[in-house]
Amino acid sequence: MKFLEVACLVILTVLVTDTLAENKPRKHKKYRRIHPVEKPTELAAEKDDKPIEVLPPMAAGVDMIDNRVPLTDPCLDVQCGAGMVCALDKDSEPQCVCIETCPEETESRRKVCSNTNETWSSDCSVYQQRCWCRNDDSRCKNDEYRHVHIEYYGSCREMPECKESEMADFPRRMRDWLFNVMRDLADRRELSPRYYEMEKDAESNMTRRWTNAAMWKFCDLDGHPPDRYVSRHELFPIRAPLMALEHCIAPFLNSCDSDDDHRITIKEWARCLELEEDDIEDKCDELAASDASTPEV
């Protein structure tokens, strides 16, 4: 009997314990869910097959336009003569046209004297007038201005007459002057490499003394544009600085244009300086090509 009471007590205890356990709230172990970190480029690649364009740092905040073609000024490589400027025509093609307006000059030292013995306000006004006349523009004052050029800087003044004896001796003086200028430029390292070689050759070879100097100056003047002719206005670098000192320079240079076509050939240049034509060859193109491929001295 006592055994049965003990057994019933044990069973009752177990039942009570299970009941309490069921009613007691359970504590669940918490786990932190880790989400994989996705790279922006990988996300974009999943959403869109197109690759993402990564802009350089300097492009931040700048609007980028696809298929934009950079524009280049067609006039950059166009060289126009004196009194002309490059402009685009209706087809956007570059062309040289007469300059419309010259800067207004008020200083007397800007004035120039032309071969027509007229004083102009500036060199621009001389070249502009010549351009208008050559293009049959209504602003051309006189047809003779087709060949107008500058004689010297400053207002026109009366020049002494070049005597016959002075003109006869002028070719020799001109040859000596050209060589001396060439030698001075070589000493100051202001000649291009090929011309520097010509000057050294003239120093050591007296027969080349004058011919090399004459060839150097002709090729040096024939550059606007290089067409194997020296026009009257291309002679300006020689004529203008010497007019005040050498009153024979203008008639001498005019005499070099023997056929009066307003341009001087290499043969006319040789005859004018009283040199043998065969001794002076037209090597300007060769000299220019040589200078382009030779480093500076």
Side-chain angles (χ1 to χ4, degrees), residues 53-62 64:
E53 180 181 0
V54 180
L55 298 179
M58 294 182 63
V62 179
M64 305 295 290

Side-chain angles (χ1 to χ4, degrees), residues 10-52:
V10 172
I11 294 173
L12 180 61
T13 301
V14 173
L15 291 175
V16 172
T17 301
D18 289 342
T19 302
L20 293 174
E22 290 176 358
N23 294 330
K24 186 178 181 179
R26 293 183 178 181
K27 294 183 179 180
H28 297 281
K29 190 173 183 179
K30 295 182 180 180
Y31 296 92
R32 183 178 180 184
R33 187 174 182 181
I34 301 177
H35 298 276
V37 179
E38 297 173 316
K39 296 181 180 179
T41 53
E42 293 176 350
L43 287 174
E46 292 177 0
K47 296 178 181 179
D48 194 347
D49 293 334
K50 295 181 179 179
I52 289 182

Side-chain angles (χ1 to χ4, degrees), residues 19 29 35 43 60 74 112 148 153 161 228 241 251 277 279 293 297:
T19 302
K29 190 173 183 179
H35 298 276
L43 287 174
V112 295
V148 66
Y153 284 111
E161 182 182 357
R228 299 186 179 183
E277 297 179 22
D279 290 341
S293 60
V297 175

Side-chain angles (χ1 to χ4, degrees), residues 10-295:
V10 172
I11 294 173
L12 180 61
T13 301
V14 173
L15 291 175
V16 172
T17 301
D18 289 342
T19 302
L20 293 174
E22 290 176 358
N23 294 330
K24 186 178 181 179
R26 293 183 178 181
K27 294 183 179 180
H28 297 281
K29 190 173 183 179
K30 295 182 180 180
Y31 296 92
R32 183 178 180 184
R33 187 174 182 181
I34 301 177
H35 298 276
V37 179
E38 297 173 316
K39 296 181 180 179
T41 53
E42 293 176 350
L43 287 174
E46 292 177 0
K47 296 178 181 179
D48 194 347
D49 293 334
K50 295 181 179 179
I52 289 182
E53 180 181 0
V54 180
L55 298 179
M58 294 182 63
V62 179
D63 292 334
M64 305 295 290
I65 302 177
D66 294 337
N67 300 325
R68 170 171 285 181
V69 179
L71 297 179
T72 301
D73 187 355
C75 284
L76 285 179
D77 297 327
V78 177
Q79 295 184 350
C80 298
M84 306 182 75
V85 294
C86 180
L88 302 182
D89 59 16
K90 61 180 181 179
D91 297 323
S92 297
E93 293 294 328
Q95 61 176 350
C96 291
V97 298
C98 300
I99 187 171
E100 281 295 322
T101 306
C102 288
E104 184 177 352
E105 301 289 353
T106 57
E107 297 184 16
S108 58
R109 63 187 181 91
R110 296 290 185 182
K111 294 181 179 181
V112 295
C113 183
S114 70
N115 60 309
T116 57
N117 201 34
E118 296 175 87
T119 299
W120 299 70
S121 60
S122 66
D123 53 357
C124 176
S125 59
V126 174
Y127 297 136
Q128 179 192 56
Q129 183 64 210
R130 183 177 64 196
C131 184
W132 283 343
C133 293
R134 290 182 175 181
N135 286 276
D136 295 324
D137 192 289
S138 59
R139 290 168 288 186
C140 173
K141 296 179 181 179
N142 193 310
D143 193 60
E144 70 174 347
Y145 290 143
R146 285 177 175 270
H147 303 293
V148 66
H149 58 264
I150 299 173
E151 287 287 345
Y152 53 89
Y153 284 111
S155 301
C156 293
R157 55 188 181 275
E158 185 176 356
M159 290 290 179
E161 182 182 357
C162 183
K163 299 179 181 178
E164 185 176 347
S165 58
E166 293 176 315
M167 180 63 79
D169 189 48
F170 204 83
R172 179 195 60 80
R173 297 177 58 208
M174 188 69 177
R175 295 194 304 265
D176 284 338
W177 180 77
L178 289 177
F179 174 74
N180 289 331
V181 172
M182 187 181 187
R183 181 172 55 188
D184 290 343
L185 292 176
D187 291 341
R188 297 199 301 265
R189 294 296 193 271
E190 295 180 12
L191 283 180
S192 62
R194 187 64 185 93
Y195 291 145
Y196 182 80
E197 293 179 9
M198 290 177 61
E199 193 279 331
K200 291 306 175 186
D201 178 48
E203 290 275 10
S204 59
N205 187 344
M206 293 299 293
T207 60
R208 305 294 297 173
R209 181 184 181 98
W210 290 335
T211 55
N212 281 13
M215 192 185 308
W216 155 68
K217 180 47 66 176
F218 183 88
C219 297
D220 182 55
L221 293 172
D222 179 28
H224 307 287
D227 51 11
R228 299 186 179 183
Y229 295 97
V230 174
S231 63
R232 293 282 183 88
H233 76 271
E234 285 177 328
L235 289 171
F236 178 73
I238 291 181
R239 182 178 52 248
L242 294 179
M243 281 292 292
L245 303 174
E246 296 285 355
H247 58 278
C248 288
I249 185 67
F252 170 76
L253 292 175
N254 290 337
S255 68
C256 294
D257 183 17
S258 56
D259 57 3
D260 199 29
D261 64 349
H262 301 279
R263 58 185 187 177
I264 301 171
T265 66
I266 187 67
K267 291 186 179 297
E268 286 177 325
W269 184 242
R271 289 195 298 267
C272 192
L273 292 171
E274 297 181 351
L275 298 172
E276 292 293 333
E277 297 179 22
D278 294 337
D279 290 341
I280 295 186
E281 301 176 6
D282 190 1
K283 294 184 176 180
C284 295
D285 293 341
E286 178 184 340
L287 291 172
S290 176
D291 285 340
S293 60
T294 305

